[in-house]
mmCIF file of all heavy atoms in Angstrom:
data_model
loop_
_atom_site.group_PDB
_atom_site.id
_atom_site.type_symbol
_atom_site.label_atom_id
_atom_site.label_comp_id
_atom_site.label_asym_id
_atom_site.label_seq_id
_atom_site.Cartn_x
_atom_site.Cartn_y
_atom_site.Cartn_z
ATOM 1 N N GLY P 14 108.448 116.536 98.718
ATOM 2 C CA GLY P 14 107.979 116.232 100.141
ATOM 3 C C GLY P 14 108.978 115.253 100.825
ATOM 4 O O GLY P 14 108.622 114.726 101.999
ATOM 5 N N VAL P 15 110.134 114.891 100.258
ATOM 6 C CA VAL P 15 110.989 113.937 100.913
ATOM 7 C C VAL P 15 111.905 114.562 102.031
ATOM 8 O O VAL P 15 112.404 113.897 102.932
ATOM 9 C CB VAL P 15 111.956 113.335 99.790
ATOM 10 C CG1 VAL P 15 111.093 112.512 98.813
ATOM 11 C CG2 VAL P 15 112.827 114.237 99.153
ATOM 12 N N GLY P 16 112.173 115.860 101.899
ATOM 13 C CA GLY P 16 113.133 116.632 102.729
ATOM 14 C C GLY P 16 112.819 116.379 104.249
ATOM 15 O O GLY P 16 113.670 115.933 104.966
ATOM 16 N N TRP P 17 111.645 116.847 104.627
ATOM 17 C CA TRP P 17 111.328 116.708 106.031
ATOM 18 C C TRP P 17 111.178 115.326 106.543
ATOM 19 O O TRP P 17 111.485 114.914 107.699
ATOM 20 C CB TRP P 17 110.013 117.610 106.466
ATOM 21 C CG TRP P 17 108.812 116.980 105.990
ATOM 22 C CD1 TRP P 17 108.037 117.380 104.847
ATOM 23 C CD2 TRP P 17 107.932 116.118 106.788
ATOM 24 N NE1 TRP P 17 106.850 116.664 104.802
ATOM 25 C CE2 TRP P 17 106.855 115.874 105.958
ATOM 26 C CE3 TRP P 17 108.134 115.411 107.928
ATOM 27 C CZ2 TRP P 17 105.738 115.021 106.396
ATOM 28 C CZ3 TRP P 17 106.950 114.606 108.365
ATOM 29 C CH2 TRP P 17 105.858 114.274 107.560
ATOM 30 N N ARG P 18 110.550 114.442 105.651
ATOM 31 C CA ARG P 18 110.528 112.960 105.957
ATOM 32 C C ARG P 18 111.888 112.388 106.170
ATOM 33 O O ARG P 18 112.085 111.587 107.160
ATOM 34 C CB ARG P 18 109.786 112.231 104.906
ATOM 35 C CG ARG P 18 108.203 112.696 104.886
ATOM 36 C CD ARG P 18 107.596 111.982 103.665
ATOM 37 N NE ARG P 18 106.145 112.100 103.741
ATOM 38 C CZ ARG P 18 105.531 113.057 103.017
ATOM 39 N NH1 ARG P 18 106.205 113.957 102.177
ATOM 40 N NH2 ARG P 18 104.134 113.140 103.036
ATOM 41 N N GLN P 19 112.860 112.598 105.367
ATOM 42 C CA GLN P 19 114.181 112.032 105.515
ATOM 43 C C GLN P 19 114.853 112.554 106.776
ATOM 44 O O GLN P 19 115.725 111.891 107.384
ATOM 45 C CB GLN P 19 115.006 112.299 104.247
ATOM 46 C CG GLN P 19 114.542 111.555 103.012
ATOM 47 C CD GLN P 19 115.378 111.832 101.874
ATOM 48 O OE1 GLN P 19 116.128 112.812 101.783
ATOM 49 N NE2 GLN P 19 115.135 111.032 100.769
ATOM 50 N N LEU P 20 114.541 113.748 107.179
ATOM 51 C CA LEU P 20 115.248 114.435 108.321
ATOM 52 C C LEU P 20 114.552 113.820 109.644
ATOM 53 O O LEU P 20 115.225 113.637 110.645
ATOM 54 C CB LEU P 20 115.123 115.956 108.245
ATOM 55 C CG LEU P 20 116.111 116.544 107.205
ATOM 56 C CD1 LEU P 20 115.888 117.942 107.046
ATOM 57 C CD2 LEU P 20 117.578 116.244 107.528
ATOM 58 N N ALA P 21 113.230 113.642 109.528
ATOM 59 C CA ALA P 21 112.501 113.181 110.716
ATOM 60 C C ALA P 21 112.612 111.703 111.055
ATOM 61 O O ALA P 21 112.741 111.219 112.167
ATOM 62 C CB ALA P 21 111.067 113.520 110.630
ATOM 63 N N THR P 22 112.957 110.947 109.878
ATOM 64 C CA THR P 22 113.001 109.476 110.128
ATOM 65 C C THR P 22 113.964 108.988 111.018
ATOM 66 O O THR P 22 113.777 108.049 111.883
ATOM 67 C CB THR P 22 113.107 108.838 108.617
ATOM 68 O OG1 THR P 22 111.850 109.039 107.933
ATOM 69 C CG2 THR P 22 113.269 107.270 108.747
ATOM 70 N N PRO P 23 115.215 109.365 110.953
ATOM 71 C CA PRO P 23 116.324 108.860 111.990
ATOM 72 C C PRO P 23 115.907 109.202 113.331
ATOM 73 O O PRO P 23 116.141 108.285 114.257
ATOM 74 C CB PRO P 23 117.523 109.551 111.559
ATOM 75 C CG PRO P 23 117.293 110.047 109.993
ATOM 76 C CD PRO P 23 115.850 110.318 109.963
ATOM 77 N N TYR P 24 115.360 110.293 113.630
ATOM 78 C CA TYR P 24 114.943 110.608 114.956
ATOM 79 C C TYR P 24 113.877 109.736 115.487
ATOM 80 O O TYR P 24 114.018 109.207 116.593
ATOM 81 C CB TYR P 24 114.486 112.041 115.079
ATOM 82 C CG TYR P 24 113.548 112.497 116.227
ATOM 83 C CD1 TYR P 24 114.240 112.677 117.540
ATOM 84 C CD2 TYR P 24 112.196 112.297 116.270
ATOM 85 C CE1 TYR P 24 113.304 112.965 118.566
ATOM 86 C CE2 TYR P 24 111.282 112.458 117.302
ATOM 87 C CZ TYR P 24 112.018 112.806 118.551
ATOM 88 O OH TYR P 24 111.176 112.992 119.681
ATOM 89 N N LEU P 25 112.927 109.431 114.688
ATOM 90 C CA LEU P 25 111.839 108.492 115.132
ATOM 91 C C LEU P 25 112.417 107.157 115.325
ATOM 92 O O LEU P 25 112.017 106.342 116.171
ATOM 93 C CB LEU P 25 110.719 108.527 114.027
ATOM 94 C CG LEU P 25 109.966 109.947 113.881
ATOM 95 C CD1 LEU P 25 109.078 110.013 112.698
ATOM 96 C CD2 LEU P 25 109.191 110.283 115.262
ATOM 97 N N LYS P 26 113.149 106.758 114.298
ATOM 98 C CA LYS P 26 113.668 105.276 114.324
ATOM 99 C C LYS P 26 114.519 105.110 115.501
ATOM 100 O O LYS P 26 114.558 103.976 116.181
ATOM 101 C CB LYS P 26 114.470 105.014 113.118
ATOM 102 C CG LYS P 26 113.624 104.700 111.848
ATOM 103 C CD LYS P 26 114.435 104.160 110.668
ATOM 104 C CE LYS P 26 113.641 103.734 109.484
ATOM 105 N NZ LYS P 26 114.468 103.329 108.335
ATOM 106 N N GLU P 27 115.228 106.078 115.934
ATOM 107 C CA GLU P 27 116.105 106.060 117.161
ATOM 108 C C GLU P 27 115.280 105.673 118.345
ATOM 109 O O GLU P 27 115.829 105.135 119.351
ATOM 110 C CB GLU P 27 116.896 107.381 117.372
ATOM 111 C CG GLU P 27 117.802 107.260 118.581
ATOM 112 C CD GLU P 27 118.565 108.564 118.704
ATOM 113 O OE1 GLU P 27 117.854 109.634 118.774
ATOM 114 O OE2 GLU P 27 119.857 108.627 118.790
ATOM 115 N N ARG P 28 113.978 106.042 118.330
ATOM 116 C CA ARG P 28 113.122 105.823 119.561
ATOM 117 C C ARG P 28 112.363 104.433 119.243
ATOM 118 O O ARG P 28 111.294 104.210 120.018
ATOM 119 C CB ARG P 28 112.108 106.980 119.735
ATOM 120 C CG ARG P 28 112.887 108.131 120.453
ATOM 121 C CD ARG P 28 112.604 109.424 119.955
ATOM 122 N NE ARG P 28 113.441 110.408 120.572
ATOM 123 C CZ ARG P 28 114.667 110.662 120.225
ATOM 124 N NH1 ARG P 28 115.209 110.089 119.109
ATOM 125 N NH2 ARG P 28 115.388 111.526 120.831
ATOM 126 N N GLY P 29 112.825 103.718 118.238
ATOM 127 C CA GLY P 29 112.079 102.444 117.954
ATOM 128 C C GLY P 29 110.838 102.473 117.282
ATOM 129 O O GLY P 29 109.902 101.547 117.289
ATOM 130 N N ILE P 30 110.578 103.736 116.724
ATOM 131 C CA ILE P 30 109.238 103.855 116.001
ATOM 132 C C ILE P 30 109.456 103.557 114.560
ATOM 133 O O ILE P 30 110.380 103.820 113.836
ATOM 134 C CB ILE P 30 108.918 105.478 116.056
ATOM 135 C CG1 ILE P 30 108.573 105.834 117.476
ATOM 136 C CG2 ILE P 30 107.640 105.638 115.111
ATOM 137 C CD1 ILE P 30 108.390 107.383 117.708
ATOM 138 N N GLN P 31 108.407 102.579 114.035
ATOM 139 C CA GLN P 31 108.494 102.274 112.734
ATOM 140 C C GLN P 31 107.934 103.201 111.721
ATOM 141 O O GLN P 31 106.787 103.808 112.022
ATOM 142 C CB GLN P 31 107.728 100.910 112.434
ATOM 143 C CG GLN P 31 108.462 99.778 113.342
ATOM 144 C CD GLN P 31 107.575 98.561 113.424
ATOM 145 O OE1 GLN P 31 106.956 98.200 112.341
ATOM 146 N NE2 GLN P 31 107.487 97.903 114.609
ATOM 147 N N ILE P 32 108.465 103.488 110.505
ATOM 148 C CA ILE P 32 108.017 104.558 109.655
ATOM 149 C C ILE P 32 107.154 103.959 108.441
ATOM 150 O O ILE P 32 107.661 103.014 107.879
ATOM 151 C CB ILE P 32 109.368 105.250 109.063
ATOM 152 C CG1 ILE P 32 110.182 105.778 110.208
ATOM 153 C CG2 ILE P 32 108.844 106.385 108.288
ATOM 154 C CD1 ILE P 32 109.397 106.698 111.280
ATOM 155 N N LEU P 33 106.121 104.623 108.192
ATOM 156 C CA LEU P 33 105.278 104.344 107.046
ATOM 157 C C LEU P 33 105.266 105.646 106.273
ATOM 158 O O LEU P 33 104.808 106.731 106.589
ATOM 159 C CB LEU P 33 103.802 104.024 107.436
ATOM 160 C CG LEU P 33 103.830 102.687 108.182
ATOM 161 C CD1 LEU P 33 102.346 102.526 108.822
ATOM 162 C CD2 LEU P 33 104.137 101.567 107.411
ATOM 163 N N ASP P 34 106.123 105.700 105.103
ATOM 164 C CA ASP P 34 106.337 106.858 104.302
ATOM 165 C C ASP P 34 105.852 106.740 102.925
ATOM 166 O O ASP P 34 106.240 105.851 102.157
ATOM 167 C CB ASP P 34 107.911 107.075 104.373
ATOM 168 C CG ASP P 34 108.342 108.332 103.593
ATOM 169 O OD1 ASP P 34 107.469 108.926 102.784
ATOM 170 O OD2 ASP P 34 109.481 108.627 103.611
ATOM 171 N N PRO P 35 104.904 107.625 102.483
ATOM 172 C CA PRO P 35 104.252 107.447 101.261
ATOM 173 C C PRO P 35 105.334 107.744 100.038
ATOM 174 O O PRO P 35 105.056 107.447 98.953
ATOM 175 C CB PRO P 35 103.131 108.490 101.179
ATOM 176 C CG PRO P 35 103.511 109.501 102.276
ATOM 177 C CD PRO P 35 104.283 108.674 103.225
ATOM 178 N N THR P 36 106.403 108.312 100.332
ATOM 179 C CA THR P 36 107.464 108.651 99.341
ATOM 180 C C THR P 36 108.407 107.542 99.241
ATOM 181 O O THR P 36 109.341 107.470 98.495
ATOM 182 C CB THR P 36 108.250 110.022 99.614
ATOM 183 O OG1 THR P 36 109.019 109.869 100.742
ATOM 184 C CG2 THR P 36 107.284 111.149 99.719
ATOM 185 N N ASP P 37 108.322 106.495 100.177
ATOM 186 C CA ASP P 37 109.112 105.302 100.180
ATOM 187 C C ASP P 37 108.217 104.140 100.734
ATOM 188 O O ASP P 37 108.505 103.663 101.740
ATOM 189 C CB ASP P 37 110.325 105.629 101.111
ATOM 190 C CG ASP P 37 111.392 104.459 101.008
ATOM 191 O OD1 ASP P 37 111.297 103.573 100.031
ATOM 192 O OD2 ASP P 37 112.181 104.380 101.975
ATOM 193 N N LYS P 38 107.315 103.813 99.966
ATOM 194 C CA LYS P 38 106.314 102.826 100.311
ATOM 195 C C LYS P 38 106.927 101.489 100.624
ATOM 196 O O LYS P 38 107.693 100.916 99.827
ATOM 197 C CB LYS P 38 105.198 102.670 99.295
ATOM 198 C CG LYS P 38 104.352 103.953 98.983
ATOM 199 C CD LYS P 38 103.399 103.744 97.872
ATOM 200 C CE LYS P 38 102.481 104.892 97.782
ATOM 201 N NZ LYS P 38 103.139 106.159 97.605
ATOM 202 N N PRO P 39 106.655 100.894 101.788
ATOM 203 C CA PRO P 39 107.195 99.559 102.117
ATOM 204 C C PRO P 39 106.506 98.385 101.565
ATOM 205 O O PRO P 39 106.193 97.414 102.302
ATOM 206 C CB PRO P 39 107.071 99.591 103.731
ATOM 207 C CG PRO P 39 105.755 100.292 103.946
ATOM 208 C CD PRO P 39 105.743 101.463 102.906
ATOM 209 N N VAL P 40 106.039 98.607 100.308
ATOM 210 C CA VAL P 40 105.285 97.485 99.733
ATOM 211 C C VAL P 40 105.737 97.230 98.283
ATOM 212 O O VAL P 40 106.312 98.135 97.701
ATOM 213 C CB VAL P 40 103.690 97.647 99.745
ATOM 214 C CG1 VAL P 40 103.166 97.768 101.076
ATOM 215 C CG2 VAL P 40 103.357 99.002 98.984
ATOM 216 N N THR P 41 105.632 96.057 97.842
ATOM 217 C CA THR P 41 105.934 95.852 96.377
ATOM 218 C C THR P 41 104.897 95.949 95.399
ATOM 219 O O THR P 41 105.048 96.093 94.247
ATOM 220 C CB THR P 41 106.584 94.469 96.221
ATOM 221 O OG1 THR P 41 105.709 93.415 96.726
ATOM 222 C CG2 THR P 41 107.893 94.380 97.054
ATOM 223 N N GLN P 42 103.507 95.780 95.925
ATOM 224 C CA GLN P 42 102.428 95.832 95.067
ATOM 225 C C GLN P 42 102.172 97.201 94.503
ATOM 226 O O GLN P 42 101.450 97.246 93.422
ATOM 227 C CB GLN P 42 101.176 95.294 95.738
ATOM 228 C CG GLN P 42 100.616 96.336 96.723
ATOM 229 C CD GLN P 42 99.354 95.794 97.454
ATOM 230 O OE1 GLN P 42 99.517 94.984 98.403
ATOM 231 N NE2 GLN P 42 98.273 96.347 97.177
ATOM 232 N N CYS P 43 102.647 98.340 95.060
ATOM 233 C CA CYS P 43 102.351 99.662 94.469
ATOM 234 C C CYS P 43 103.696 100.066 93.776
ATOM 235 O O CYS P 43 104.809 100.099 94.383
ATOM 236 C CB CYS P 43 102.073 100.655 95.609
ATOM 237 S SG CYS P 43 101.777 102.307 95.015
ATOM 238 N N ARG P 44 103.579 100.341 92.407
ATOM 239 C CA ARG P 44 104.663 100.753 91.707
ATOM 240 C C ARG P 44 105.126 102.126 91.794
ATOM 241 O O ARG P 44 106.101 102.502 91.249
ATOM 242 C CB ARG P 44 104.323 100.401 90.161
ATOM 243 C CG ARG P 44 104.094 98.920 89.922
ATOM 244 C CD ARG P 44 103.497 98.804 88.554
ATOM 245 N NE ARG P 44 102.047 99.269 88.685
ATOM 246 C CZ ARG P 44 101.341 99.549 87.444
ATOM 247 N NH1 ARG P 44 101.840 99.386 86.356
ATOM 248 N NH2 ARG P 44 100.123 100.036 87.605
ATOM 249 N N PHE P 45 104.362 102.919 92.619
ATOM 250 C CA PHE P 45 104.512 104.423 92.408
ATOM 251 C C PHE P 45 104.767 105.042 93.810
ATOM 252 O O PHE P 45 103.925 104.930 94.633
ATOM 253 C CB PHE P 45 103.331 105.049 91.742
ATOM 254 C CG PHE P 45 103.046 104.465 90.381
ATOM 255 C CD1 PHE P 45 102.001 103.534 90.250
ATOM 256 C CD2 PHE P 45 103.827 104.795 89.374
ATOM 257 C CE1 PHE P 45 101.710 102.974 88.974
ATOM 258 C CE2 PHE P 45 103.616 104.253 88.021
ATOM 259 C CZ PHE P 45 102.498 103.412 87.915
ATOM 260 N N ASN P 46 105.896 105.707 93.909
ATOM 261 C CA ASN P 46 106.076 106.502 95.078
ATOM 262 C C ASN P 46 105.848 108.013 94.981
ATOM 263 O O ASN P 46 106.047 108.838 95.870
ATOM 264 C CB ASN P 46 107.584 106.343 95.647
ATOM 265 C CG ASN P 46 107.824 104.936 96.279
ATOM 266 O OD1 ASN P 46 106.984 104.473 97.085
ATOM 267 N ND2 ASN P 46 108.788 104.300 95.843
ATOM 268 N N GLU P 47 105.511 108.434 93.812
ATOM 269 C CA GLU P 47 105.078 109.732 93.476
ATOM 270 C C GLU P 47 106.079 110.733 93.354
ATOM 271 O O GLU P 47 105.871 111.942 93.343
ATOM 272 C CB GLU P 47 103.932 110.112 94.380
ATOM 273 C CG GLU P 47 102.751 109.146 94.697
ATOM 274 C CD GLU P 47 102.022 109.580 95.861
ATOM 275 O OE1 GLU P 47 101.272 110.597 95.848
ATOM 276 O OE2 GLU P 47 102.045 108.746 96.884
ATOM 277 N N ILE P 48 107.378 110.351 93.306
ATOM 278 C CA ILE P 48 108.434 111.268 93.459
ATOM 279 C C ILE P 48 109.377 111.045 92.263
ATOM 280 O O ILE P 48 109.420 109.918 91.604
ATOM 281 C CB ILE P 48 109.164 111.165 94.735
ATOM 282 C CG1 ILE P 48 109.938 109.757 94.878
ATOM 283 C CG2 ILE P 48 108.237 111.507 95.920
ATOM 284 C CD1 ILE P 48 110.740 109.774 96.178
ATOM 285 N N GLY P 49 110.329 111.959 92.003
ATOM 286 C CA GLY P 49 111.334 111.902 91.050
ATOM 287 C C GLY P 49 110.934 111.520 89.572
ATOM 288 O O GLY P 49 109.960 112.247 89.053
ATOM 289 N N ASP P 50 111.502 110.546 89.029
ATOM 290 C CA ASP P 50 111.055 110.116 87.657
ATOM 291 C C ASP P 50 109.604 109.721 87.498
ATOM 292 O O ASP P 50 108.914 109.964 86.508
ATOM 293 C CB ASP P 50 112.031 109.074 87.169
ATOM 294 C CG ASP P 50 113.397 109.417 87.032
ATOM 295 O OD1 ASP P 50 113.672 110.659 86.820
ATOM 296 O OD2 ASP P 50 114.316 108.546 86.984
ATOM 297 N N GLU P 51 109.094 109.104 88.647
ATOM 298 C CA GLU P 51 107.675 108.678 88.539
ATOM 299 C C GLU P 51 106.730 109.944 88.609
ATOM 300 O O GLU P 51 105.757 110.024 87.816
ATOM 301 C CB GLU P 51 107.331 107.824 89.801
ATOM 302 C CG GLU P 51 108.097 106.492 89.882
ATOM 303 C CD GLU P 51 107.964 105.795 91.010
ATOM 304 O OE1 GLU P 51 107.153 106.310 91.974
ATOM 305 O OE2 GLU P 51 108.504 104.752 91.232
ATOM 306 N N LYS P 52 107.094 110.966 89.302
ATOM 307 C CA LYS P 52 106.364 112.267 89.233
ATOM 308 C C LYS P 52 106.362 112.873 87.881
ATOM 309 O O LYS P 52 105.438 113.376 87.391
ATOM 310 C CB LYS P 52 106.936 113.186 90.284
ATOM 311 C CG LYS P 52 106.064 114.424 90.582
ATOM 312 C CD LYS P 52 106.606 115.302 91.702
ATOM 313 C CE LYS P 52 105.782 116.458 91.978
ATOM 314 N NZ LYS P 52 106.271 117.248 93.133
ATOM 315 N N GLU P 53 107.572 112.792 87.246
ATOM 316 C CA GLU P 53 107.725 113.467 85.819
ATOM 317 C C GLU P 53 106.948 112.554 84.800
ATOM 318 O O GLU P 53 106.325 113.236 83.987
ATOM 319 C CB GLU P 53 109.166 113.385 85.427
ATOM 320 C CG GLU P 53 110.038 114.455 86.297
ATOM 321 C CD GLU P 53 109.468 115.792 86.271
ATOM 322 O OE1 GLU P 53 109.116 116.256 85.226
ATOM 323 O OE2 GLU P 53 109.341 116.459 87.324
ATOM 324 N N MET P 54 106.901 111.269 85.066
ATOM 325 C CA MET P 54 106.008 110.447 84.209
ATOM 326 C C MET P 54 104.492 110.738 84.242
ATOM 327 O O MET P 54 103.783 110.969 83.315
ATOM 328 C CB MET P 54 106.260 108.982 84.401
ATOM 329 C CG MET P 54 105.508 107.909 83.624
ATOM 330 S SD MET P 54 103.964 107.558 84.290
ATOM 331 C CE MET P 54 104.434 106.564 85.646
ATOM 332 N N ILE P 55 104.117 110.992 85.516
ATOM 333 C CA ILE P 55 102.704 111.367 85.778
ATOM 334 C C ILE P 55 102.463 112.709 85.147
ATOM 335 O O ILE P 55 101.325 112.933 84.528
ATOM 336 C CB ILE P 55 102.504 111.414 87.346
ATOM 337 C CG1 ILE P 55 102.512 109.979 87.859
ATOM 338 C CG2 ILE P 55 101.180 112.050 87.573
ATOM 339 C CD1 ILE P 55 102.389 109.931 89.305
ATOM 340 N N LYS P 56 103.393 113.689 85.163
ATOM 341 C CA LYS P 56 103.118 114.990 84.527
ATOM 342 C C LYS P 56 102.932 114.837 83.113
ATOM 343 O O LYS P 56 102.120 115.528 82.446
ATOM 344 C CB LYS P 56 104.248 115.830 84.829
ATOM 345 C CG LYS P 56 104.281 116.398 86.449
ATOM 346 C CD LYS P 56 105.438 117.429 86.491
ATOM 347 C CE LYS P 56 105.601 117.841 87.892
ATOM 348 N NZ LYS P 56 106.704 118.688 88.211
ATOM 349 N N LYS P 57 103.707 113.973 82.399
ATOM 350 C CA LYS P 57 103.649 113.719 80.971
ATOM 351 C C LYS P 57 102.310 113.138 80.632
ATOM 352 O O LYS P 57 101.688 113.486 79.636
ATOM 353 C CB LYS P 57 104.901 112.829 80.493
ATOM 354 C CG LYS P 57 106.073 113.430 80.646
ATOM 355 C CD LYS P 57 107.242 112.531 80.114
ATOM 356 C CE LYS P 57 108.613 113.137 80.216
ATOM 357 N NZ LYS P 57 109.762 112.238 79.893
ATOM 358 N N LEU P 58 101.819 112.277 81.466
ATOM 359 C CA LEU P 58 100.500 111.506 81.189
ATOM 360 C C LEU P 58 99.411 112.637 81.359
ATOM 361 O O LEU P 58 98.430 112.571 80.550
ATOM 362 C CB LEU P 58 100.228 110.408 82.211
ATOM 363 C CG LEU P 58 101.148 109.129 82.076
ATOM 364 C CD1 LEU P 58 100.830 108.154 83.085
ATOM 365 C CD2 LEU P 58 100.858 108.516 80.688
ATOM 366 N N VAL P 59 99.542 113.644 82.184
ATOM 367 C CA VAL P 59 98.598 114.661 82.312
ATOM 368 C C VAL P 59 98.498 115.435 80.956
ATOM 369 O O VAL P 59 97.585 115.830 80.471
ATOM 370 C CB VAL P 59 98.870 115.529 83.524
ATOM 371 C CG1 VAL P 59 97.984 116.799 83.481
ATOM 372 C CG2 VAL P 59 98.649 114.833 84.828
ATOM 373 N N LYS P 60 99.752 115.882 80.500
ATOM 374 C CA LYS P 60 99.850 116.694 79.335
ATOM 375 C C LYS P 60 99.193 115.854 78.128
ATOM 376 O O LYS P 60 98.627 116.547 77.163
ATOM 377 C CB LYS P 60 101.324 117.010 78.914
ATOM 378 C CG LYS P 60 101.942 118.050 79.869
ATOM 379 C CD LYS P 60 103.351 118.370 79.500
ATOM 380 C CE LYS P 60 103.876 119.415 80.453
ATOM 381 N NZ LYS P 60 105.360 119.829 79.958
#
């Protein structure tokens, strides 16, 4: 789910719009962005 978000973000930021993206969470308290290695780790826990 990162493709369209990464492409849309520069357009929105150019208009001064702040982005809240679940694949790149702007917080430190949540350890999981649900993508990449984290997604693979979740799949292993499911198995």
Side-chain angles (χ1 to χ4, degrees):
V15 302
W17 72 266
R18 290 178 171 96
Q19 289 179 347
L20 291 169
T22 291
Y24 161 84
L25 297 168
K26 284 187 173 180
E27 187 181 49
R28 282 139 188 84
I30 298 169
Q31 301 172 38
I32 306 302
L33 297 170
D34 180 350
T36 68
D37 186 18
K38 294 177 175 53
V40 297
T41 57
Q42 73 181 71
C43 183
R44 297 164 289 165
F45 305 102
N46 287 314
E47 312 166 66
I48 64 173
D50 292 341
E51 294 171 3
K52 188 173 182 179
E53 292 305 311
M54 181 269 291
I55 290 171
K56 289 180 179 179
K57 289 179 182 178
L58 289 176
V59 171
K60 288 183 179 180

